[in-house]
Amino acid sequence: MISILQSSARAAGVDDSDVQAALTMAAAGGISPILALIESGAVDERVFTRHLAHDLGWKWLETPQPEADDMAELKRMIPARFAVRHQVFPVGFERDEASSTLNRLVLACHDPCDLMARQAVARQSELPVRWCLTPRGELLNAVQQLYGVGAETFDALIAAGGGGTDELHLRDEANVIDDEDEDASVVKFVNQIIREALAQKATDIHVEPQPDSLRIRYRIDGFLHEIPVPENIKQLQASVIARIKVMSKLDIAEKRLPQDGRIHLKAEGQSIDVRVACIPSVEGESMSLRLLGQERFTLDRLGLNEAHRQTIELLLAKPNGIVLVTGPTGSGKSTTLYTFLSQLNSVHRRIVTIEDPVENKLPGIVQIPVKNEIGLTFASGLRSILRGDPNVVMVGEIRDLETAEIAVRASLTGHLVFSTLHTNDAVAGITRLIEMGVKPFLVSSSVRAFLAQRLVRVLCDSCKTPAIYPNDELTKLGFPEAKGKTVWRATQGGCQHCRGTGYSGRVALYEIALMTPTMQAMVSQRASEADLHTQARKDGFIPMREYGLQKALVGITTLEEVARVTSEELA
């Protein structure tokens, strides 16, 4: 086997010295030589496994897929727990052409050196086995797609008669989710769901009861993706929901009213806060988990262009005034505000916030959660904050006239105030405040800038492709100015680095309307929103669509993404 491995590695362009080093590492660490060679980074796994399969006389599968008609029988013959433990994947059967009798079981693996797995398969399988080779990542993904997330734990639970909500399954232990517990339990099953969400960089997990199943969806890069779950998962619905309630300190017995809670997790040495919302529905309680990692909030991470960055730095240097961030729910406003506060955070400044809820805890900053049930609202909290000698104040959202007027007074008395509004663009923030009842002269004298933003998906660097769009398509998208210019597209089907979507991560698009002297005069005179837009353009205002076009031209995102989030401005 070693000679075959060396021959395959040479064919894949690996030096003999690198192969020998991997073999030495494998012997010292007690791991497979194939795994050692791949982890050394000396060879591309796909190229190497293709050559290795050829030298072994095996079939190489780039993406293993089970035969649709054989799925039930394949899962019976190779159960989920066996497939996960030994990292094998049932692809299908070889049949006798005349009688359709099953002759062989076709199995994929990623490590032909794993003799223990091959011996276990020989004992498990009712048929002789024909082996195939596939990259490890593709095999593990195929196992998850076929059996579902946590299927091996689910199978063991059902076999043991589990699925109840007894104390053993729901023990209130420390929420450490990267410990591998050999014993199958609802605790482990829920941990696997959360761990997989973190691995896929999801921001939300939705556990939604259906009439005959329990649907689990992850929100990744702003889009919901349904994940495969074990068959008959409905049997564990009550246990899964009860376990999440225990983790978030909610009342297990209360099933009629909405509840909110929080989970503090430890995963791979990192602390992760999870905000939990439980909502009763006709099919049972639906759970939504917002995953809040301990992020580092820096201006570099906002992806600002140089002009906007300089403008933000000038605004943060102001001793007083209001800076309002506008946009719909989920547009990244809180992240932007936390970044501003982190930039200003120093031992010489007292920064106090009032939020609903506190999403991320910032060291050195006093953060107050809104509690409407006891009368702690944005307005009442803001009054108390101003009596506490702050330099910088952040109000989670300006929802009413009372809060707006207190924020205006705070800015006029020497405080730097940050807050959010729900408007479609930056200039619309001016009219929104006036419609709330704030006097125009107070708006013009207190507000420094309105910043609007949206989130767009970032193109995957590994598979994005340059393209010149047809003129009719540019007109349809609303970007005729991109005629003849090279932009970038997401590759259909993506790649392994972006989970087949063509995108990986998100970035914000911005527009900043500064309250210049001319704008102040126009606001005081109650100028129309259209006139304010015109003046803002004269003052250097760059609309969000133009900002997004700049991002598309340099290959950060696509025109489709920019059109999707800025469609309100097409007219």
Side-chain angles (χ1 to χ4, degrees):
M1 187 65 192
I2 296 300
S3 62
I4 295 177
L5 188 152
Q6 291 173 323
S7 173
S8 303
R10 289 192 202 100
V14 184
D15 294 336
D16 287 342
S17 58
D18 290 331
V19 176
Q20 192 56 49
L23 292 174
T24 302
M25 183 173 69
I31 62 175
S32 163
I34 293 177
L35 184 61
L37 182 61
I38 293 171
E39 289 188 346
S40 71
V43 64
D44 180 272
E45 183 181 7
R46 287 176 177 268
V47 175
F48 171 64
T49 53
R50 189 184 295 115
H51 285 291
L52 182 59
H54 177 268
D55 292 343
L56 289 170
W58 291 9
K59 185 177 181 179
W60 184 76
L61 299 175
E62 183 174 11
T63 306
Q65 294 285 345
E67 295 290 341
D69 295 337
D70 296 329
M71 279 193 187
E73 182 63 15
L74 288 171
K75 287 194 280 188
R76 184 196 68 79
M77 194 171 289
I78 303 295
R81 195 166 195 183
F82 184 91
V84 171
R85 175 170 298 205
H86 298 291
Q87 297 195 358
V88 295
F89 180 77
V91 178
F93 296 104
E94 289 182 352
R95 289 178 166 83
D96 183 89
E97 293 184 5
S99 62
S100 296
T101 304
L102 300 181
N103 286 340
R104 287 178 182 270
L105 170 65
V106 182
L107 274 185
C109 71
H110 67 88
D111 185 3
C113 290
D114 190 348
L115 297 180
M116 292 184 64
R118 295 177 69 178
Q119 290 170 359
V121 167
R123 293 190 298 268
Q124 173 74 22
S125 175
E126 303 163 10
L127 297 170
V129 175
R130 181 168 71 83
W131 288 94
C132 304
L133 198 61
T134 190
R136 183 172 185 270
E138 295 295 340
L139 184 140
L140 296 179
N141 182 62
V143 168
Q144 185 184 108
Q145 292 295 322
L146 178 61
Y147 297 101
V149 174
E152 71 278 16
T153 303
F154 177 83
D155 283 358
L157 270 171
I158 299 304
T165 57
D166 56 84
E167 186 177 354
L168 174 65
H169 285 160
L170 304 173
R171 57 191 183 278
D172 188 9
E173 59 195 19
N175 292 327
V176 181
I177 66 168
D178 50 2
D179 286 346
E180 283 296 338
D181 184 1
E182 288 297 320
D183 296 328
S185 67
V186 176
V187 172
K188 182 180 178 182
F189 184 75
V190 172
N191 286 353
Q192 286 175 301
I193 293 171
I194 298 174
R195 188 162 55 241
E196 180 63 25
L198 293 172
Q200 295 197 28
K201 298 181 180 178
T203 56
D204 300 83
I205 305 172
H206 297 285
V207 181
E208 303 162 323
Q210 304 295 305
D212 55 359
S213 183
L214 183 66
R215 183 169 70 176
I216 299 177
R217 295 191 288 176
Y218 296 160
R219 188 175 294 279
I220 304 171
D221 296 338
F223 282 73
L224 284 172
H225 300 267
E226 186 168 356
I227 66 166
V229 295
E231 294 178 4
N232 302 320
I233 192 177
K234 189 75 173 178
Q235 298 178 48
L236 280 187
Q237 175 176 312
S239 297
V240 169
I241 290 172
R243 171 57 188 163
I244 297 173
K245 283 185 168 183
V246 167
M247 295 174 75
S248 50
K249 305 293 190 294
L250 300 181
D251 184 357
I252 296 178
E254 180 54 75
K255 299 181 181 180
R256 302 165 300 168
L257 297 173
Q259 298 186 70
D260 294 315
R262 211 173 185 102
I263 305 173
H264 302 286
L265 297 177
K266 294 285 186 182
E268 298 179 357
Q270 295 184 342
S271 295
I272 298 168
D273 281 340
V274 183
R275 204 170 73 223
V276 180
C278 177
I279 305 171
S281 72
V282 293
E283 298 295 341
E285 293 171 287
S286 175
M287 309 291 291
S288 295
L289 288 73
R290 168 67 59 89
L291 307 177
L292 305 167
Q294 299 298 311
E295 301 181 53
R296 291 178 63 250
F297 297 99
T298 63
L299 285 179
D300 291 335
R301 294 192 62 187
L302 293 183
L304 295 161
N305 65 20
E306 189 57 34
H308 279 174
R309 182 172 180 135
Q310 290 178 5
T311 300
I312 292 298
E313 289 175 344
L314 287 172
L315 289 172
L316 296 182
K318 298 290 184 182
N320 55 49
I322 302 177
V323 175
L324 287 168
V325 181
T326 72
T329 301
S331 59
K333 301 188 298 297
S334 295
T335 298
T336 299
L337 288 177
Y338 282 141
T339 301
F340 293 169
L341 296 182
S342 296
Q343 289 294 117
L344 293 170
N345 193 10
S346 75
V347 71
H348 305 295
R349 286 193 184 93
R350 176 171 164 82
I351 303 176
V352 186
T353 75
I354 180 162
E355 309 169 54
D356 183 20
V358 174
E359 291 194 0
N360 288 83
K361 297 177 182 176
L362 303 178
I365 293 177
V366 179
Q367 295 174 273
I368 304 169
V370 164
K371 294 182 180 178
N372 291 310
E373 63 273 15
I374 60 172
L376 179 54
T377 62
F378 280 121
S380 62
L382 186 52
R383 285 196 199 91
S384 299
I385 288 172
L386 296 178
R387 292 194 291 269
D389 187 33
N391 300 105
V392 179
V393 175
M394 193 268 273
V395 184
E397 182 184 347
I398 292 180
R399 298 175 178 172
D400 52 51
L401 175 60
E402 186 180 11
T403 306
E405 288 181 335
I406 299 170
V408 166
R409 286 201 299 270
S411 70
L412 295 175
T413 54
H415 301 90
L416 185 58
V417 181
F418 296 96
S419 190
T420 68
L421 277 175
H422 286 294
T423 63
N424 286 333
D425 57 50
V427 176
I430 299 172
T431 53
R432 175 61 56 84
L433 284 179
I434 294 174
E435 287 170 358
M436 277 186 180
V438 181
K439 301 296 184 184
F441 77 90
L442 290 176
V443 174
S444 63
S445 58
S446 62
V447 179
R448 299 287 186 184
F450 292 88
L451 185 152
Q453 68 179 80
R454 300 287 191 282
L455 292 177
V456 293
R457 292 181 292 174
V458 175
L459 279 165
C460 174
D461 285 331
S462 300
C463 65
K464 66 182 182 183
T465 55
I468 296 179
Y469 282 61
N471 292 343
D472 58 341
E473 190 172 353
L474 290 174
T475 302
K476 183 178 178 181
L477 289 171
F479 295 102
E481 61 268 42
K483 178 181 178 181
K485 295 181 180 179
T486 299
V487 291
W488 297 80
R489 282 188 188 271
T491 301
Q492 188 71 26
C495 66
Q496 60 177 341
H497 299 288
C498 59
R499 303 172 306 278
T501 64
Y503 298 92
S504 180
R506 289 189 292 176
V507 70
L509 304 183
Y510 296 97
E511 62 182 24
I512 304 175
L514 295 174
M515 194 64 72
T516 61
T518 306
M519 286 284 283
Q520 286 179 322
M522 293 180 67
V523 171
S524 296
Q525 295 166 11
R526 295 181 179 268
S528 68
E529 191 171 317
D531 291 339
L532 292 173
H533 263 288
T534 302
Q535 182 58 45
R537 290 299 298 265
K538 293 178 181 178
D539 293 336
F541 171 76
I542 300 174
M544 197 180 298
R545 283 181 73 82
E546 290 184 21
Y547 186 93
L549 177 60
Q550 296 170 11
K551 294 287 186 183
L553 291 174
V554 296
I556 293 175
T557 189
T558 62
L559 294 179
E560 288 86 354
E561 279 293 292
V562 178
R564 177 178 65 84
V565 302
T566 61
S567 57
E568 297 89 349
E569 300 169 29
L570 283 172

